[in-house]
Amino acid sequence: MAGDWIKVEKTTCRKPEVLHVAHTLNIHPDHALGLCIRFWCWCDDQLADSKCKVTPSVLNSSLGQSGFSEAMIEVGWLSESDGL
């Protein structure tokens, strides 16, 4: 665990993955970046072994954005196996 902070590189907002998530969800890239950061914070708090039993729809609901999990799977930043 990183403690109370998450390192975000200055180039993260322009990464192709963030831009793809934004395009897929039809949202502004800044919104996509914010969702990614909220997701990474959630992961840091909830995951001990990089695995959890949460479905994509539950994760989407908790972040308030339908399709987010699927977009993250498309860019390779999330994988699904018997749930997330």
Side-chain angles (χ1 to χ4, degrees):
M1 299 288 181
D4 291 338
W5 60 274
I6 299 275
K7 181 179 178 181
V8 177
E9 296 174 341
K10 294 189 310 184
T11 60
T12 304
C13 61
R14 295 182 307 276
K15 286 188 177 277
E17 295 90 345
V18 172
L19 299 176
H20 180 85
V21 169
H23 177 76
T24 299
L25 300 177
N26 196 30
I27 59 177
H28 193 277
D30 291 348
H31 185 182
L33 177 62
L35 289 168
C36 288
I37 291 171
R38 287 183 52 214
F39 169 70
W40 296 325
C41 290
W42 179 85
C43 289
D44 190 57
D45 288 340
Q46 302 301 321
L47 308 182
D49 61 359
S50 300
K51 297 179 182 178
C52 69
K53 298 288 183 185
V54 175
T55 63
S57 62
V58 169
L59 184 55
N60 292 343
S61 179
S62 71
L63 293 170
Q65 179 65 58
S66 62
F68 178 77
S69 295
E70 294 80 3
M72 292 291 275
I73 290 168
E74 285 180 22
V75 299
W77 282 356
L78 183 63
S79 61
E80 182 179 14
S81 173
D82 295 328
L84 294 178

Coordinates of all heavy atoms in Angstrom, one line a residue:
M1 N 0.8 -1.2 0.0 CA 0.0 0.0 0.0 C 0.9 1.2 0.0 O 1.9 1.3 0.6 CB -0.9 0.0 1.2 CG -1.9 -1.1 1.3 SD -3.1 -1.0 0.1 CE -4.1 -2.4 0.5
A2 N 0.4 2.2 -0.7 CA 1.2 3.5 -0.9 C 0.9 4.5 0.2 O 1.5 5.5 0.3 CB 0.9 4.1 -2.2
G3 N 0.0 4.2 1.1 CA -0.4 5.1 2.1 C -1.5 6.0 1.7 O -2.4 5.5 1.1
D4 N -1.4 7.3 1.9 CA -2.5 8.2 1.6 C -2.3 8.9 0.3 O -3.0 9.9 0.0 CB -2.6 9.3 2.7 CG -3.1 8.6 4.0 OD1 -3.8 7.6 3.9 OD2 -2.9 9.2 5.0
W5 N -1.4 8.5 -0.6 CA -1.2 9.2 -1.9 C -1.0 8.2 -3.0 O -0.6 7.1 -2.8 CB -0.1 10.2 -1.8 CG 1.3 9.5 -1.5 CD1 1.7 9.3 -0.2 CD2 2.2 9.1 -2.4 NE1 3.0 8.7 -0.3 CE2 3.3 8.5 -1.6 CE3 2.3 9.1 -3.8 CZ2 4.4 8.0 -2.2 CZ3 3.5 8.6 -4.3 CH2 4.5 8.0 -3.6
I6 N -1.3 8.7 -4.2 CA -1.1 7.9 -5.4 C -0.2 8.7 -6.3 O -0.6 9.9 -6.6 CB -2.5 7.6 -6.1 CG1 -3.4 6.8 -5.3 CG2 -2.3 6.9 -7.5 CD1 -3.3 5.3 -5.3
K7 N 0.8 8.1 -6.9 CA 1.7 8.9 -7.8 C 1.0 8.9 -9.2 O 0.6 7.8 -9.7 CB 3.0 8.2 -7.9 CG 4.0 8.9 -8.8 CD 5.3 8.2 -8.9 CE 6.2 8.9 -9.9 NZ 7.5 8.3 -10.0
V8 N 0.9 10.0 -9.8 CA 0.4 10.2 -11.1 C 1.4 10.9 -11.9 O 1.8 12.0 -11.6 CB -1.0 11.0 -11.2 CG1 -1.4 11.2 -12.6 CG2 -2.0 10.2 -10.3
E9 N 1.9 10.3 -13.0 CA 2.9 11.0 -13.9 C 2.2 12.1 -14.6 O 1.0 12.1 -14.9 CB 3.4 10.0 -14.9 CG 4.2 8.9 -14.2 CD 4.6 7.8 -15.2 OE1 4.0 7.7 -16.3 OE2 5.5 7.0 -14.9
K10 N 3.0 13.2 -14.9 CA 2.5 14.3 -15.7 C 2.0 13.9 -17.0 O 1.1 14.6 -17.5 CB 3.6 15.3 -15.8 CG 4.1 16.0 -14.6 CD 5.1 17.1 -14.8 CE 6.2 16.9 -15.7 NZ 7.2 18.0 -15.8
T11 N 2.5 12.9 -17.6 CA 2.0 12.4 -18.9 C 0.8 11.6 -18.9 O 0.2 11.3 -20.0 CB 3.1 11.7 -19.6 OG1 3.5 10.5 -18.9 CG2 4.4 12.5 -19.8
T12 N 0.3 11.2 -17.7 CA -0.8 10.3 -17.6 C -2.1 10.8 -18.3 O -2.8 10.1 -19.0 CB -1.2 10.0 -16.2 OG1 0.0 9.4 -15.5 CG2 -2.3 8.9 -16.1
C13 N -2.3 12.1 -18.2 CA -3.5 12.7 -18.8 C -3.5 12.6 -20.3 O -4.6 12.7 -21.0 CB -3.7 14.1 -18.4 SG -2.4 15.3 -18.8
R14 N -2.3 12.4 -21.0 CA -2.2 12.3 -22.4 C -2.0 10.9 -22.9 O -1.7 10.7 -24.1 CB -1.1 13.2 -22.9 CG -1.5 14.7 -22.7 CD -0.4 15.6 -23.2 NE 1.0 15.3 -22.8 CZ 1.5 15.7 -21.6 NH1 0.8 16.5 -20.8 NH2 2.8 15.4 -21.3
K15 N -2.0 9.9 -22.0 CA -1.7 8.5 -22.4 C -2.8 8.1 -23.3 O -4.0 8.4 -23.2 CB -1.6 7.6 -21.2 CG -0.3 7.8 -20.4 CD -0.3 6.7 -19.3 CE 1.1 6.8 -18.6 NZ 2.1 6.2 -19.3
P16 N -2.4 7.3 -24.3 CA -3.4 6.7 -25.2 C -4.6 6.0 -24.5 O -5.7 6.1 -25.0 CB -2.6 5.8 -26.2 CG -1.2 6.3 -26.1 CD -1.1 6.9 -24.7
E17 N -4.3 5.3 -23.5 CA -5.3 4.6 -22.7 C -6.3 5.5 -22.2 O -7.5 5.2 -22.2 CB -4.6 3.7 -21.6 CG -3.7 2.6 -22.1 CD -2.3 3.0 -22.3 OE1 -2.0 4.3 -22.3 OE2 -1.4 2.1 -22.4
V18 N -5.9 6.6 -21.6 CA -6.9 7.6 -21.0 C -7.7 8.2 -22.1 O -8.9 8.3 -22.0 CB -6.1 8.7 -20.2 CG1 -7.1 9.8 -19.8 CG2 -5.5 8.1 -19.0
L19 N -7.1 8.5 -23.2 CA -7.8 9.1 -24.4 C -8.8 8.1 -24.9 O -9.9 8.4 -25.3 CB -6.8 9.6 -25.4 CG -5.8 10.7 -25.0 CD1 -4.9 11.0 -26.1 CD2 -6.6 11.9 -24.5
H20 N -8.4 6.8 -25.0 CA -9.3 5.8 -25.5 C -10.5 5.6 -24.5 O -11.6 5.5 -25.0 CB -8.6 4.4 -25.6 CG -9.4 3.3 -26.1 ND1 -9.7 3.1 -27.5 CD2 -10.2 2.4 -25.5 CE1 -10.5 2.1 -27.6 NE2 -10.8 1.6 -26.4
V21 N -10.3 5.6 -23.2 CA -11.4 5.5 -22.3 C -12.3 6.7 -22.5 O -13.6 6.5 -22.5 CB -10.9 5.5 -20.8 CG1 -12.0 5.7 -19.8 CG2 -10.2 4.2 -20.6
A22 N -11.8 7.9 -22.6 CA -12.6 9.1 -22.8 C -13.4 9.0 -24.1 O -14.6 9.2 -24.1 CB -11.7 10.3 -22.9
H23 N -12.8 8.5 -25.2 CA -13.5 8.4 -26.5 C -14.6 7.3 -26.4 O -15.7 7.5 -26.9 CB -12.5 8.1 -27.6 CG -13.1 7.8 -28.9 ND1 -13.6 8.9 -29.7 CD2 -13.4 6.7 -29.6 CE1 -14.1 8.4 -30.8 NE2 -14.0 7.1 -30.8
T24 N -14.2 6.2 -25.8 CA -15.2 5.1 -25.7 C -16.4 5.5 -24.9 O -17.6 5.1 -25.2 CB -14.5 3.9 -25.0 OG1 -13.5 3.4 -25.8 CG2 -15.5 2.7 -24.8
L25 N -16.2 6.3 -23.8 CA -17.3 6.7 -22.9 C -18.0 8.0 -23.4 O -18.9 8.4 -22.7 CB -16.8 6.8 -21.5 CG -16.3 5.5 -20.9 CD1 -15.7 5.7 -19.5 CD2 -17.3 4.4 -20.9
N26 N -17.4 8.6 -24.4 CA -17.9 9.9 -24.9 C -17.9 11.0 -23.8 O -18.9 11.6 -23.5 CB -19.3 9.8 -25.5 CG -19.7 11.0 -26.3 OD1 -18.8 11.6 -26.9 ND2 -21.0 11.3 -26.4
I27 N -16.7 11.0 -23.1 CA -16.5 12.0 -22.0 C -15.2 12.7 -22.3 O -14.4 12.3 -23.1 CB -16.5 11.3 -20.6 CG1 -15.4 10.3 -20.5 CG2 -17.9 10.7 -20.3 CD1 -15.2 9.7 -19.1
H28 N -15.1 13.9 -21.6 CA -13.8 14.6 -21.7 C -12.7 13.9 -21.1 O -12.8 13.1 -20.1 CB -14.0 16.0 -20.9 CG -13.0 17.0 -21.3 ND1 -11.7 17.0 -20.6 CD2 -12.9 18.0 -22.1 CE1 -11.0 17.9 -21.1 NE2 -11.7 18.6 -22.0
P29 N -11.5 14.0 -21.7 CA -10.3 13.2 -21.1 C -10.0 13.6 -19.7 O -9.6 12.7 -18.9 CB -9.1 13.7 -22.0 CG -9.8 14.0 -23.3 CD -11.1 14.6 -23.0
D30 N -10.3 14.8 -19.2 CA -10.1 15.1 -17.8 C -11.1 14.3 -16.9 O -10.7 13.9 -15.8 CB -10.4 16.6 -17.5 CG -9.3 17.5 -18.2 OD1 -8.3 17.0 -18.6 OD2 -9.5 18.7 -18.2
H31 N -12.3 14.0 -17.4 CA -13.2 13.2 -16.7 C -12.7 11.8 -16.6 O -12.8 11.1 -15.6 CB -14.6 13.3 -17.3 CG -15.7 12.6 -16.6 ND1 -17.0 12.5 -17.1 CD2 -15.7 11.9 -15.4 CE1 -17.7 11.8 -16.2 NE2 -17.0 11.4 -15.2
A32 N -12.2 11.3 -17.8 CA -11.7 9.9 -17.8 C -10.5 9.8 -16.9 O -10.4 8.8 -16.2 CB -11.2 9.6 -19.3
L33 N -9.6 10.8 -16.8 CA -8.5 10.7 -15.9 C -8.9 10.7 -14.5 O -8.4 9.9 -13.6 CB -7.5 11.9 -16.1 CG -6.4 12.0 -15.2 CD1 -5.4 10.8 -15.3 CD2 -5.6 13.3 -15.4
G34 N -9.9 11.5 -14.1 CA -10.5 11.5 -12.8 C -11.1 10.1 -12.4 O -10.9 9.7 -11.3
L35 N -11.8 9.5 -13.3 CA -12.3 8.2 -13.1 C -11.2 7.2 -12.9 O -11.3 6.3 -12.0 CB -13.2 7.7 -14.2 CG -14.5 8.4 -14.4 CD1 -15.2 8.1 -15.7 CD2 -15.5 8.0 -13.2
C36 N -10.1 7.3 -13.7 CA -9.0 6.4 -13.5 C -8.3 6.5 -12.1 O -8.0 5.6 -11.4 CB -7.9 6.6 -14.6 SG -8.4 6.0 -16.2
I37 N -8.2 7.8 -11.7 CA -7.6 8.0 -10.4 C -8.4 7.5 -9.3 O -7.9 6.9 -8.4 CB -7.2 9.5 -10.2 CG1 -6.1 9.9 -11.2 CG2 -6.9 9.9 -8.8 CD1 -5.9 11.4 -11.3
R38 N -9.7 7.7 -9.4 CA -10.7 7.2 -8.4 C -10.6 5.7 -8.4 O -10.6 5.0 -7.3 CB -12.1 7.6 -8.7 CG -12.3 9.1 -8.3 CD -13.7 9.6 -8.5 NE -14.7 8.7 -7.8 CZ -15.9 8.5 -8.3 NH1 -16.3 9.0 -9.4 NH2 -16.7 7.7 -7.6
F39 N -10.5 5.0 -9.5 CA -10.4 3.6 -9.6 C -9.1 3.1 -9.0 O -9.1 2.2 -8.2 CB -10.4 3.2 -11.1 CG -10.0 1.7 -11.3 CD1 -10.9 0.7 -10.9 CD2 -8.9 1.4 -12.0 CE1 -10.5 -0.6 -11.1 CE2 -8.5 0.1 -12.2 CZ -9.3 -0.9 -11.8
W40 N -7.9 3.8 -9.3 CA -6.7 3.4 -8.7 C -6.6 3.6 -7.2 O -6.1 2.7 -6.5 CB -5.5 4.1 -9.4 CG -5.4 3.8 -10.8 CD1 -5.6 2.6 -11.4 CD2 -5.0 4.7 -11.9 NE1 -5.4 2.7 -12.8 CE2 -5.0 4.0 -13.1 CE3 -4.7 6.1 -11.9 CZ2 -4.7 4.6 -14.3 CZ3 -4.3 6.6 -13.1 CH2 -4.3 5.9 -14.3
C41 N -7.3 4.6 -6.7 CA -7.4 4.8 -5.2 C -8.2 3.7 -4.6 O -7.8 3.1 -3.6 CB -8.0 6.1 -4.9 SG -7.0 7.6 -5.3
W42 N -9.3 3.3 -5.3 CA -10.2 2.2 -4.8 C -9.3 0.9 -4.8 O -9.4 0.2 -3.8 CB -11.4 2.0 -5.7 CG -12.3 0.9 -5.3 CD1 -13.3 1.0 -4.4 CD2 -12.3 -0.4 -5.8 NE1 -13.9 -0.3 -4.3 CE2 -13.3 -1.1 -5.1 CE3 -11.5 -1.1 -6.7 CZ2 -13.5 -2.5 -5.4 CZ3 -11.7 -2.4 -7.0 CH2 -12.7 -3.1 -6.3
C43 N -8.6 0.7 -5.8 CA -7.7 -0.5 -5.9 C -6.7 -0.5 -4.8 O -6.5 -1.6 -4.1 CB -7.0 -0.6 -7.2 SG -8.0 -1.0 -8.6
D44 N -6.1 0.6 -4.5 CA -5.1 0.7 -3.5 C -5.7 0.4 -2.1 O -5.1 -0.3 -1.3 CB -4.5 2.1 -3.5 CG -3.2 2.2 -2.6 OD1 -2.3 1.4 -2.8 OD2 -3.2 3.0 -1.7
D45 N -6.9 0.8 -1.9 CA -7.6 0.6 -0.6 C -8.2 -0.9 -0.5 O -8.2 -1.4 0.6 CB -8.8 1.5 -0.4 CG -8.3 2.9 -0.2 OD1 -7.2 3.1 0.3 OD2 -9.2 3.8 -0.4
Q46 N -8.6 -1.5 -1.6 CA -9.4 -2.7 -1.5 C -8.6 -4.0 -1.9 O -9.0 -5.1 -1.5 CB -10.6 -2.6 -2.5 CG -11.5 -1.5 -2.1 CD -12.1 -1.5 -0.7 OE1 -12.4 -2.6 -0.2 NE2 -12.2 -0.4 -0.1
L47 N -7.5 -3.9 -2.7 CA -6.9 -5.1 -3.2 C -5.6 -5.4 -2.4 O -4.7 -4.6 -2.4 CB -6.5 -4.9 -4.7 CG -7.7 -4.5 -5.6 CD1 -7.2 -4.4 -7.0 CD2 -8.9 -5.4 -5.5
A48 N -5.5 -6.6 -1.9 CA -4.3 -7.0 -1.2 C -3.4 -7.9 -2.2 O -2.2 -7.8 -2.1 CB -4.7 -7.9 0.0
D49 N -4.1 -8.6 -3.1 CA -3.3 -9.5 -4.0 C -3.6 -9.2 -5.5 O -3.5 -10.1 -6.3 CB -3.6 -10.9 -3.7 CG -5.1 -11.3 -3.8 OD1 -5.9 -10.4 -4.1 OD2 -5.4 -12.5 -3.6
S50 N -4.1 -8.0 -5.8 CA -4.4 -7.6 -7.1 C -5.7 -8.3 -7.7 O -5.9 -8.3 -8.9 CB -3.3 -7.8 -8.1 OG -2.1 -7.1 -7.7
K51 N -6.4 -8.9 -6.8 CA -7.7 -9.6 -7.2 C -8.8 -9.2 -6.3 O -8.6 -9.0 -5.1 CB -7.5 -11.1 -7.2 CG -6.5 -11.6 -8.2 CD -6.3 -13.1 -8.1 CE -5.2 -13.5 -9.1 NZ -5.0 -14.9 -9.0
C52 N -10.0 -9.2 -6.8 CA -11.2 -9.0 -6.0 C -12.4 -9.6 -6.7 O -12.3 -9.9 -7.9 CB -11.4 -7.5 -5.8 SG -12.0 -6.6 -7.2
K53 N -13.4 -9.8 -6.0 CA -14.6 -10.4 -6.5 C -15.7 -9.3 -6.7 O -16.7 -9.2 -5.9 CB -15.1 -11.5 -5.5 CG -14.2 -12.6 -5.3 CD -14.1 -13.5 -6.6 CE -13.2 -14.7 -6.4 NZ -13.0 -15.4 -7.6
V54 N -15.5 -8.5 -7.7 CA -16.4 -7.4 -8.0 C -16.7 -7.5 -9.5 O -15.8 -7.7 -10.3 CB -15.9 -6.1 -7.7 CG1 -16.8 -4.9 -8.1 CG2 -15.6 -5.9 -6.2
T55 N -18.0 -7.5 -9.9 CA -18.3 -7.5 -11.3 C -18.1 -6.2 -11.9 O -18.1 -5.1 -11.2 CB -19.8 -7.9 -11.4 OG1 -20.6 -6.9 -10.9 CG2 -20.1 -9.3 -10.8
P56 N -18.0 -6.1 -13.2 CA -17.9 -4.8 -13.9 C -19.0 -3.9 -13.6 O -18.8 -2.7 -13.4 CB -17.8 -5.2 -15.4 CG -17.2 -6.6 -15.4 CD -17.8 -7.3 -14.2
S57 N -20.2 -4.4 -13.5 CA -21.4 -3.5 -13.3 C -21.3 -2.9 -11.9 O -21.7 -1.8 -11.7 CB -22.7 -4.2 -13.5 OG -22.8 -5.3 -12.6
V58 N -20.8 -3.7 -10.9 CA -20.7 -3.1 -9.5 C -19.6 -2.0 -9.5 O -19.8 -1.0 -8.9 CB -20.4 -4.2 -8.5 CG1 -20.0 -3.7 -7.2 CG2 -21.6 -5.2 -8.4
L59 N -18.5 -2.3 -10.2 CA -17.5 -1.3 -10.3 C -17.9 0.0 -11.0 O -17.7 1.1 -10.5 CB -16.2 -1.9 -10.9 CG -15.0 -1.0 -11.0 CD1 -14.6 -0.5 -9.6 CD2 -13.8 -1.7 -11.6
N60 N -18.6 -0.2 -12.1 CA -19.2 0.9 -12.9 C -20.1 1.7 -12.0 O -20.0 3.0 -12.0 CB -19.9 0.4 -14.1 CG -19.0 -0.2 -15.1 OD1 -17.8 0.0 -15.1 ND2 -19.6 -0.9 -16.1
S61 N -21.0 1.0 -11.3 CA -21.9 1.7 -10.4 C -21.2 2.5 -9.3 O -21.6 3.6 -9.0 CB -22.9 0.7 -9.8 OG -23.8 1.3 -8.9
S62 N -20.2 1.9 -8.7 CA -19.5 2.6 -7.6 C -18.7 3.8 -8.1 O -18.5 4.7 -7.3 CB -18.5 1.6 -6.9 OG -17.4 1.3 -7.7
L63 N -18.3 3.8 -9.3 CA -17.7 5.0 -9.9 C -18.6 6.0 -10.6 O -18.2 7.0 -11.0 CB -16.6 4.6 -10.9 CG -15.4 3.8 -10.3 CD1 -14.5 3.2 -11.4 CD2 -14.6 4.7 -9.4
G64 N -19.9 5.5 -10.7 CA -20.9 6.4 -11.3 C -20.7 6.6 -12.8 O -21.1 7.6 -13.4
Q65 N -20.1 5.5 -13.5 CA -19.9 5.7 -14.9 C -20.1 4.3 -15.6 O -19.3 3.4 -15.5 CB -18.5 6.2 -15.2 CG -18.2 6.3 -16.7 CD -19.0 7.4 -17.4 OE1 -19.0 8.5 -17.0 NE2 -19.7 7.0 -18.4
S66 N -21.2 4.1 -16.3 CA -21.4 2.9 -17.0 C -20.4 2.7 -18.1 O -20.0 3.7 -18.7 CB -22.8 2.8 -17.6 OG -23.0 3.9 -18.5
G67 N -19.9 1.5 -18.3 CA -19.0 1.2 -19.4 C -17.5 1.4 -19.0 O -16.6 1.1 -19.7
F68 N -17.2 2.0 -17.8 CA -15.9 2.3 -17.4 C -15.0 1.0 -17.3 O -13.9 0.9 -17.8 CB -15.8 3.0 -16.1 CG -14.4 3.3 -15.6 CD1 -13.7 4.3 -16.2 CD2 -13.8 2.5 -14.6 CE1 -12.3 4.5 -15.8 CE2 -12.5 2.7 -14.2 CZ -11.8 3.7 -14.8
S69 N -15.6 0.0 -16.6 CA -14.8 -1.3 -16.5 C -14.5 -1.9 -17.8 O -13.3 -2.3 -18.1 CB -15.6 -2.3 -15.7 OG -15.8 -1.9 -14.4
E70 N -15.5 -1.9 -18.7 CA -15.2 -2.5 -20.1 C -14.2 -1.7 -20.8 O -13.4 -2.3 -21.5 CB -16.6 -2.5 -20.8 CG -17.6 -3.4 -20.2 CD -18.4 -2.9 -19.0 OE1 -18.2 -1.7 -18.6 OE2 -19.2 -3.6 -18.4
A71 N -14.2 -0.4 -20.7 CA -13.2 0.5 -21.4 C -11.8 0.2 -20.8 O -10.8 0.1 -21.5 CB -13.5 2.0 -21.2
M72 N -11.7 0.0 -19.5 CA -10.4 -0.3 -18.9 C -9.9 -1.7 -19.3 O -8.7 -1.9 -19.5 CB -10.5 -0.2 -17.3 CG -10.8 1.2 -16.8 SD -9.3 2.3 -17.0 CE -8.4 1.8 -15.5
I73 N -10.8 -2.6 -19.5 CA -10.5 -3.9 -20.0 C -9.9 -3.8 -21.4 O -8.9 -4.4 -21.8 CB -11.7 -4.9 -19.9 CG1 -11.9 -5.3 -18.4 CG2 -11.4 -6.2 -20.7 CD1 -13.3 -6.0 -18.2
E74 N -10.6 -3.0 -22.3 CA -10.2 -2.8 -23.6 C -8.8 -2.3 -23.7 O -8.0 -2.7 -24.6 CB -11.1 -1.8 -24.4 CG -12.4 -2.3 -24.7 CD -13.3 -1.3 -25.4 OE1 -12.8 -0.3 -26.0 OE2 -14.5 -1.5 -25.4
V75 N -8.4 -1.4 -22.8 CA -7.0 -0.8 -22.9 C -6.0 -1.6 -22.2 O -4.8 -1.3 -22.2 CB -7.0 0.7 -22.4 CG1 -7.9 1.6 -23.3 CG2 -7.3 0.8 -20.9
G76 N -6.4 -2.7 -21.5 CA -5.4 -3.5 -20.8 C -5.1 -3.1 -19.4 O -4.1 -3.7 -18.9
W77 N -5.8 -2.2 -18.8 CA -5.6 -1.8 -17.5 C -6.4 -2.5 -16.5 O -6.3 -2.2 -15.3 CB -5.8 -0.3 -17.3 CG -4.7 0.6 -17.9 CD1 -3.5 0.1 -18.4 CD2 -4.6 2.0 -18.0 NE1 -2.7 1.1 -18.8 CE2 -3.4 2.3 -18.6 CE3 -5.5 3.0 -17.6 CZ2 -3.0 3.6 -18.8 CZ3 -5.1 4.3 -17.8 CH2 -3.8 4.6 -18.4
L78 N -7.2 -3.4 -16.9 CA -8.1 -4.2 -16.0 C -8.3 -5.5 -16.8 O -8.4 -5.6 -18.0 CB -9.4 -3.5 -15.8 CG -10.4 -4.1 -14.8 CD1 -9.8 -4.2 -13.4 CD2 -11.7 -3.3 -14.8
S79 N -8.4 -6.6 -16.0 CA -8.7 -7.9 -16.6 C -9.9 -8.5 -15.8 O -10.0 -8.3 -14.6 CB -7.5 -8.8 -16.7 OG -7.0 -9.1 -15.4
E80 N -10.6 -9.4 -16.5 CA -11.7 -10.0 -15.9 C -11.5 -11.5 -15.9 O -11.2 -12.1 -16.9 CB -13.0 -9.6 -16.6 CG -14.3 -10.2 -16.0 CD -15.5 -9.8 -16.7 OE1 -15.4 -9.3 -17.9 OE2 -16.6 -10.0 -16.1
S81 N -11.8 -12.1 -14.8 CA -11.7 -13.6 -14.6 C -12.6 -14.0 -13.5 O -12.3 -13.8 -12.4 CB -10.3 -14.0 -14.3 OG -10.2 -15.4 -14.0
D82 N -13.8 -14.6 -13.9 CA -14.8 -15.0 -12.8 C -15.1 -13.8 -12.0 O -15.0 -13.8 -10.8 CB -14.3 -16.1 -12.0 CG -14.1 -17.4 -12.7 OD1 -14.9 -17.6 -13.7 OD2 -13.2 -18.2 -12.4
G83 N -15.5 -12.7 -12.6 CA -15.7 -11.4 -11.9 C -14.4 -10.7 -12.1 O -13.4 -11.1 -12.7
L84 N -14.3 -9.5 -11.5 CA -13.0 -8.7 -11.6 C -12.0 -9.2 -10.5 O -12.3 -9.6 -9.5 CB -13.3 -7.2 -11.4 CG -14.1 -6.6 -12.6 CD1 -14.3 -5.2 -12.3 CD2 -13.3 -6.8 -13.9

